[in-house]
Amino acid sequence: MNTPTTIATHNGSFHADDVFGVAVLRLLFPEARLLRTRDEALIATADFAVDVGGEWDAARGRFDHHQRGFEGARASGVVYASAGLVWAAHGPALVAQQCGVMEPTLARAIADSLDRELVQHLDRADTGAANAAPGLFGLSALLAQFNLPWDRRGSAFDDDAASLARFEQAMAVVTQLLLAALDQQRARHQGAQQVREAKMLLDGRVLVLPRGGLPWRDVSADMPDLWFVVYPDASDQQHQLHVVTVEPQSFTARKDLPRAWAGLREAELAAASGVGDAVFCHNGRFIAGARSLEGALRLAELAVAAPFDPK
């Protein structure tokens, strides 16, 4: 008879890093038994020890960062907490399991993306490097709400069933978020590959995508000659023309749509552009649309040929 896998973490008040680390391991080992304790003898018998035990040794399943002399840090300089230690060791395996990604390089890339957008912010909050909640991360303060308040803690708080139940509730929230975030990252990486393989027109100034929703903004930084993107918008039954910005998070376009189109719709835009099925151009000149792909491509051609408009 096989002995069930045991995951140990500390009892008492919990934090985002121990909840996250245990959630990752529980997804990989769903039959695992959770042991919340500070008893060193019990911790030593566990298969995994998260945020407890005074040791970092991924090969032996030890993921603590509180020990004296701990110097674990990412290449970026962000110091690891236990969540990051678990993720560095087991994140790619969880990506492969949950996303069906068999190619190790892609699994690592997806895991690294989630580390940048979530896990490292969690670690920074746990180690006191930051109190803010950038990117996806507002998780630390939210998970803290699952701890029992002081006036509901009994004398055996460290070991009581109520504390364990609250930890399981917090872990369920983390698990849902983690799985959803992994699916988003998988789609983002696979979509980026479709963007890279899409058709380029007009000497690389216009990118034509086969479908809407693809993460072209992430890829555009590697396409310095690109000015505009054309893609279908099924909800409005049209094709849209969108400017490319100087940086993915910027609002400054590499080239704006023509000023003469700003705020025009339907017949007015058709008259101004000469494109009979033109639908609209936003007053901010960052997006326009036409009912057909041919119309959107003609708008793109005109936008490329138009002189730069001084700001």
Side-chain angles (χ1 to χ4, degrees), residues 15-27 50 82-84 86-88 94 114-115 118-119 122-123 137 139 143 167 170-171 174-175 177-178:
H15 308 98
D17 75 321
D18 44 299
V19 174
F20 183 92
V22 173
V24 170
L25 293 172
R26 178 70 73 80
L27 283 167
V50 178
S82 293
V86 172
W87 189 249
L94 187 63
L114 194 74
D115 183 73
L118 177 63
V119 184
L122 188 158
D123 283 1
F137 187 69
L139 198 57
L143 293 179
F167 185 92
M171 192 164 60
V174 168
T175 299
L177 172 63
L178 175 58

Side-chain angles (χ1 to χ4, degrees), residues 112-136:
D112 287 347
S113 290
L114 194 74
D115 183 73
R116 287 191 299 272
E117 297 196 20
L118 177 63
V119 184
Q120 71 172 283
H121 299 300
L122 188 158
D123 283 1
R124 293 176 74 234
D126 190 77
T127 59
N131 292 320
L136 296 176

Side-chain angles (χ1 to χ4, degrees), residues 74-288:
R74 297 164 174 82
S76 65
V78 176
V79 175
Y80 284 110
S82 293
L85 295 178
V86 172
W87 189 249
H90 294 281
L94 187 63
V95 169
Q97 179 202 81
Q98 295 295 325
C99 300
V101 175
M102 302 305 294
E103 209 281 305
T105 302
L106 179 57
R108 170 55 72 180
I110 294 172
D112 287 347
S113 290
L114 194 74
D115 183 73
R116 287 191 299 272
E117 297 196 20
L118 177 63
V119 184
Q120 71 172 283
H121 299 300
L122 188 158
D123 283 1
R124 293 176 74 234
D126 190 77
T127 59
N131 292 320
L136 296 176
F137 187 69
L139 198 57
S140 185
L142 294 176
L143 293 179
Q145 307 312 302
F146 286 92
N147 279 294
L148 288 166
W150 67 269
D151 57 353
R152 294 186 59 189
R153 299 178 184 180
S155 57
F157 165 60
D158 279 354
D159 304 300
D160 66 15
S163 179
L164 177 60
R166 290 294 190 98
F167 185 92
E168 292 278 5
Q169 290 170 0
M171 192 164 60
V173 170
V174 168
T175 299
Q176 284 189 302
L177 172 63
L178 175 58
L179 292 179
L182 280 178
D183 198 35
Q184 291 285 353
Q185 293 296 333
R186 173 204 54 77
R188 179 176 172 182
H189 280 263
Q190 293 177 338
Q193 187 57 37
Q194 290 193 37
V195 173
R196 294 186 185 97
E197 295 171 353
K199 184 184 299 183
M200 303 287 291
L201 300 177
L202 301 175
D203 296 323
R205 297 301 189 188
V206 178
L207 176 69
V208 185
L209 299 179
R211 57 177 297 169
L214 292 173
W216 56 266
R217 289 175 178 83
D218 296 339
V219 181
S220 64
D222 299 325
M223 301 176 175
D225 295 330
L226 184 64
W227 288 347
F228 303 108
V229 178
V230 173
Y231 53 85
D233 182 356
S235 62
D236 290 328
Q237 297 184 333
Q238 62 183 255
H239 281 75
Q240 295 187 339
L241 167 66
H242 204 292
V243 303
V244 175
T245 54
V246 294
E247 295 178 353
Q249 304 304 319
S250 171
F251 290 99
T252 302
R254 292 177 179 173
K255 186 178 186 183
D256 291 308
L257 296 175
R259 185 178 294 274
W261 300 355
L264 300 183
R265 302 187 66 86
E266 303 290 347
E268 290 183 336
L269 180 58
S273 65
V275 178
D277 66 348
V279 178
F280 80 101
C281 179
H282 192 281
N283 198 47
R285 296 188 291 150
F286 65 90
I287 188 170

